[in-house]
Structure formats: C-alpha cells, structure tokens
Amino acid sequence: MRSTRRELLKLMAATGGALTASGLLISRTSTTSSAADAVPVADQMRLAPLVTPFQTAMPIPPVLRPVSVTSTTDTYVLPIKQASAEILPGTSTPVLTYGGTFPGPTIKARSGRRTVVRQVNQIADGTSMHLHGAVVDPANDGGPMDLIAPGASRTYTYTNQQVAATLWYHDHAHHVEAEHVYRGMSGLYLISDSNEASLPLPRGSYDVPVVVRDIGLNEDGTLYFDHLFNSRPQILVNGKPQPYFQVAARKYRLRILNGSNQRPFEFRLSTGDEFVQIASDRGLLSAPYTTTSVPLSPAERADIVVDFSRYPVGTSVVLKNSYFPAPGTEDIVRFDVVRTADDPSSVPARLAELPPTAAPTATRAFSLEFDDTTGDGTINGKLWDENRVDTTVRAGDTEIWEITNTHPFIPHNFHIHLVDFRVLDINGKPPTPGEAGLKDTVRVQAGETVRILVSFKYPHYGRYYYHCHLIDHSSMGMMANLDIVRA
Ligand code: C2O
Ligand code: CU
Ligand code: CU
C-alpha cells in the first residue's frame, strides 16, 4: 500500500500534478482564490535558487549555559527575539529565535533534576513555549492560549521525571505556531539519565544533533512563508543548507529530529549500508534495531548510531532522503571521513527496560480528515475550539486510540501532549522495531489506521492537547482538547 501511494506521488511529480497534490497540503487562506490556485505556486514566488549542496559546514547548535545551578535546579534565561541568521552563504536572513540562534540553543537536562527556563518575549506576537515530549503539568506545558504577551516574561518549570530522551521545544501560540516555528522558534532539549550514562554509547563530540527541516527563501534572503508544502524546497540541517560534516572513522550517535512544519523524510545512507537505531521519540529502544532506513514525520525523533569506521579516510557518505524526494530534497548532509580515531564505544544488545503495558479499558476512534474543497483539516470532523472538551480520560487508565487518515494521499501524523505511547499496529501490521519503542508522535499515512496504546499514568491533571503535527494543519485547527481527570 505504502509504495503504491508513493508511486502515485512520484507519478504526479513527473506529470506536474505534484503542485496540485502538495497544494492540498495547505491552509484555508491559500484556497480562497481559485484563480491563484490555478497558477503553479512556483510561478507566484520568487524563491532563491537552491544552494549547491555540501558548501557549508554543519554547525552544532550551542548548548545553553545555566544562569544558576543549585543542588536540585538548573535555571536558564532564554529570551524570544528577532535575530539574523546566515542561512544562504553571505546573506543575512531575519529570523525569530530563542536566544538569538537559528535553531535555538540545546538545553541539557538530567532525569529527576529540575530545569527552569525564564523567557522574555521581545517579539511583536504572543508566544507560548511547549516542551514537546515533556512530562509536565498543564501550567508549564505551553498551551495554545497560554500566551506570553509581547514584552511580558514567563518562567517554565520542568521536573524531568522521565527517562533519557531527545525532546525539543517550540512555539505553540495558536494559529501562529506554524509561522513562528517556521521562522526559527525551536530547539533541542536533551534529557540524560543514569541508565543511558551506564551504556558505552558514543558520547561527547560523537553525540551529534541533526535537526532537519525545509525552508523557502526569497531571492533577497528573507523567508518566504505560506502554508504550502512546495514553497519550501531548501533542506537545512542545524540551520544550514545541506551541509557537510567532518567525522572520524568511528561510531557516532546522530540525534535526528524532523523539525519541518510539514515535510516527511525517510533517511538512508547513500551507500545503502545499515545503521543502528537506538532511540525513538521518548527514549532508548529496548534493543538496538539494525536497519537501512528511518522514516520521520514532523516532530518525530530517532537516535541512530552510524559506524564510519567502515569507510576509509577520504571517503564521504551522504545522509539521503528517499521519501517523495522532490528535486533538491534528496541530499540531507554529507559526512566526510577525515581522520581515524580510537573508538571505545559500542552499542549493547540491551538498551533499556521499557515500562510494562497495562490492559486497555477503552477504545476511542479519531479520524483525521482533510477537506479538499475548504482546505480544513479536522479531527472527528471538528476544527479546534478552545471552549470544547473533546476527550476526557481518567488518570491511571490505559486506552487504545485508533487513528485513521481518511485522505487518499495527504499524510498526517498524531501527537499527544504529556504521555508516551506504544504503536500496536499500522493497518493491522505490527510496527517496525524502530517504531515499537516509546513514542509521542506517530505517522498516519494516507489511508492508514494506526492503533496506539496510551497509558495516562502520570500524576498530572487538566487540559492537554492532541493534534496533527504537520503544524500548518494544527495551526489551522487540526487539534483537539484532552482533559485528564483524577480517577
Ligand atoms: Cu510539538 Cu502540541 O506539539
Ligand atoms: Cu507536544
Ligand atoms: Cu495533518
């Protein structure tokens, strides 16, 4: 089924139909003019030509330094401000940032230790920072209407009562989150724990964040923004266009985040060689998964270990994208093996003990619908309404959520705040080992039904959210409210 749909997309690309197909991945605002819709979008935009790949070194986002450290708490200051970034070589692009960098700085947290993030909103819009994947109370979850007004400040507290995982923070201010995140408002948040620290995995400078996203740049270097998929043809990694990264001939842990608003990726090595996936969204897998590809929809994470000792010094290996690779989006980052190095690291056969699953007491169905005529993305037929309670669950309960994407070719995904979940099956088939660990976002491809097992096991109560994480969709209403009540 999957490959049939992919063939369809390829066919549409070949015949020029891709513009129509991707035009359907858009907002209501973009569908107001049918005359404009008739014109291929690329003809309406003056996008800068794509950068020749591998001209720029891949930077590592800076690690944020705490302003204070006590025995229990690390405190950070992270102003929200406009800045400029050199995305195209020699050109400065105005961006919206956390702390002035594009993407934002990485926050390193430790399981069980408190992290406090103080923000001052120095931009013209209200903002709301959500820590995606965090086990956190509603007051610190960064809800869509829980805004930091322009000029105001806000403190978020994270208790990090969860296992080691690659999380990320991003704006969630309703209706503008897609544009805010697109313009730069996101960054990584890495939680470590004692189990992970006890494993001989690659660490330090061999543990490398790889934040992949797409973007559309005007010829003058400013960002082009609409809710269209095909207006974002330029791939960036850690804020730079299709960079290169010099590596030693040894193992590296790559923490891959799909930080795109809408673009799904499937990552492979140009050699076709295997690598080892060790973690998914919410932590280490129980055992390493040897594979040749890792698919990630927006907001999903995968940590992989690539062994560059297989390649002689002087060779290069490219991380490629094989998911609907529109021209120019095939190349992600080129790894240049430039030196040898000792490698005391290894990937043990057991990585983590996943929490036991409980028996479900209820099943709920969610339908992800996209109306081609109105451009509305809905969940169970409804656009998001802050005043409506969509789903109420009792803390402590375990449920099966059955999520169906009704569209013939538009992909969606599904994210729930607070909880992690397990994927039971996809169209009745078990997930790959790479998708069988702890997840908080799951792909729901066109026509698919995905069943997940969700335990509402955390001692937090109140208003949370679930939504499609193609955030152009959620920012237009493909989101719903989840109230967790005391049992
Ligand atoms: Cu990453 Cu509600 O979002
Ligand atoms: Cu989230
Ligand atoms: Cu969607």
Side-chain angles (χ1 to χ4, degrees):
M1 289 292 287
R2 268 171 210 246
S3 65
T4 310
R5 284 191 295 277
R6 191 163 309 139
E7 289 312 312
L8 175 67
L9 285 170
K10 274 188 192 152
L11 184 67
M12 289 193 298
T15 59
L19 292 171
T20 314
S22 42
L24 290 169
L25 300 168
I26 61 176
S27 70
R28 282 175 287 169
T29 49
S30 315
T31 52
T32 48
S33 159
S34 55
D37 283 354
V39 180
V41 174
D43 291 351
Q44 299 170 22
M45 297 183 296
R46 303 279 300 169
L47 292 184
L50 295 181
V51 172
T52 306
F54 317 133
Q55 303 302 297
T56 312
M58 183 182 85
I60 305 292
V63 175
L64 194 61
R65 294 198 163 281
V67 293
S68 89
V69 175
T70 70
S71 59
T72 58
T73 307
D74 301 325
T75 302
Y76 296 92
V77 171
L78 193 56
I80 298 160
K81 55 186 184 188
Q82 285 195 281
S84 60
E86 188 181 336
I87 299 174
L88 297 175
T91 304
S92 111
T93 296
V95 289
L96 298 179
T97 71
Y98 290 104
T101 63
F102 177 87
T106 300
I107 296 174
K108 291 199 173 177
R110 179 102 188 163
S111 179
R113 244 185 100 68
R114 184 183 305 266
T115 300
V116 172
V117 179
R118 281 211 306 268
Q119 300 197 326
V120 182
N121 180 4
Q122 299 171 12
I123 68 171
D125 293 339
T127 65
S128 170
M129 189 171 86
H130 172 57
L131 180 53
H132 181 119
V135 175
V136 66
D137 59 308
N140 290 287
D141 190 43
M145 306 305 283
D146 189 5
L147 301 185
I148 315 173
S153 56
R154 173 73 189 259
T155 297
Y156 292 99
T157 299
Y158 307 111
T159 54
N160 302 306
Q161 300 287 341
Q162 59 191 107
V163 297
T166 300
L167 309 187
W168 65 305
Y169 59 86
H170 62 78
D171 184 68
H172 216 307
H174 186 52
H175 208 61
V176 289
E177 70 267 43
E179 180 161 5
H180 283 171
V181 173
Y182 178 80
R183 292 189 184 279
M185 292 177 64
S186 70
L188 287 173
Y189 184 102
L190 310 180
I191 303 180
S192 60
D193 67 9
S194 53
N195 170 51
E196 182 194 55
S198 74
L199 302 175
L201 297 168
R203 61 183 74 243
S205 59
Y206 305 110
D207 176 351
V208 175
V210 178
V211 179
V212 185
R213 60 165 293 183
D214 60 0
I215 205 162
L217 289 151
N218 296 311
E219 282 177 337
D220 63 0
T222 56
L223 294 182
Y224 179 86
F225 177 77
D226 59 20
H227 289 287
L228 287 157
F229 178 74
N230 60 335
S231 66
R232 302 163 185 167
Q234 179 69 59
I235 302 299
L236 305 181
V237 183
N238 295 349
K240 297 289 188 188
Q242 295 165 312
Y244 65 85
F245 188 65
Q246 296 187 333
V247 294
R250 55 156 285 159
K251 288 186 278 307
Y252 281 71
R253 174 179 185 169
L254 306 177
R255 298 181 187 249
I256 308 176
L257 159 68
N258 181 350
S260 298
N261 277 29
Q262 227 180 105
R263 182 182 296 277
F265 289 100
E266 182 152 11
F267 298 105
R268 293 171 192 275
L269 295 174
S270 54
T271 53
D273 287 340
E274 292 178 329
F275 50 84
V276 180
Q277 185 179 344
I278 58 168
S280 58
D281 302 336
R282 287 290 275 271
L284 292 167
L285 303 176
S286 57
Y289 169 49
T290 299
T291 179
T292 55
S293 82
V294 58
L296 292 182
S297 67
E300 287 186 295
R301 292 85 72 201
D303 293 15
I304 65 172
V305 173
V306 179
D307 189 354
F308 293 104
S309 73
R310 291 175 295 192
Y311 310 113
V313 171
T315 51
S316 294
V317 189
V318 179
L319 187 69
K320 303 284 269 189
N321 167 34
S322 63
Y323 188 105
F324 185 31
T329 64
E330 304 92 336
D331 292 321
I332 305 297
V333 51
R334 189 184 70 196
F335 296 100
D336 298 336
V337 183
V338 296
R339 63 189 169 90
T340 57
D342 285 345
D343 190 358
S345 75
S346 63
V347 179
R350 296 296 304 170
L351 294 166
E353 195 73 52
L354 299 193
T357 53
T361 53
T363 299
R364 294 175 202 270
F366 299 91
S367 169
L368 308 179
E369 291 155 15
F370 200 90
D371 185 324
D372 296 344
T373 51
T374 62
D376 283 342
T378 55
I379 299 180
N380 289 347
K382 295 174 186 144
L383 289 168
W384 184 65
D385 175 349
E386 62 171 303
N387 296 313
R388 190 181 62 225
V389 177
D390 294 291
T391 299
T392 303
V393 300
R394 280 183 320 191
D397 280 3
T398 295
E399 301 188 354
I400 291 175
W401 285 22
E402 188 178 284
I403 308 139
T404 299
N405 176 347
T406 59
H407 202 276
F409 54 83
I410 292 178
H412 296 295
N413 68 12
F414 196 80
H415 168 56
I416 313 176
H417 284 215
L418 178 69
V419 290
D420 48 85
F421 55 75
R422 311 290 293 273
V423 179
L424 294 174
D425 44 52
I426 301 160
N427 278 350
K429 292 204 254 354
T432 67
E435 292 179 308
L438 301 175
K439 296 282 291 168
D440 59 36
T441 307
V442 65
R443 300 183 303 147
V444 189
Q445 303 278 70
E448 278 183 354
T449 293
V450 175
R451 293 194 319 141
I452 61 175
L453 186 70
V454 197
S455 278
F456 298 91
K457 62 190 170 193
Y458 297 110
H460 293 301
Y461 316 97
R463 172 58 54 86
Y464 291 94
Y465 305 89
Y466 54 92
H467 55 89
C468 177
H469 216 296
L470 279 65
I471 55 175
D472 298 288
H473 298 180
S474 52
S475 73
M476 290 178 297
M478 202 167 194
M479 178 164 73
N481 299 320
L482 165 66
D483 286 354
I484 302 179
V485 297
R486 285 171 195 270

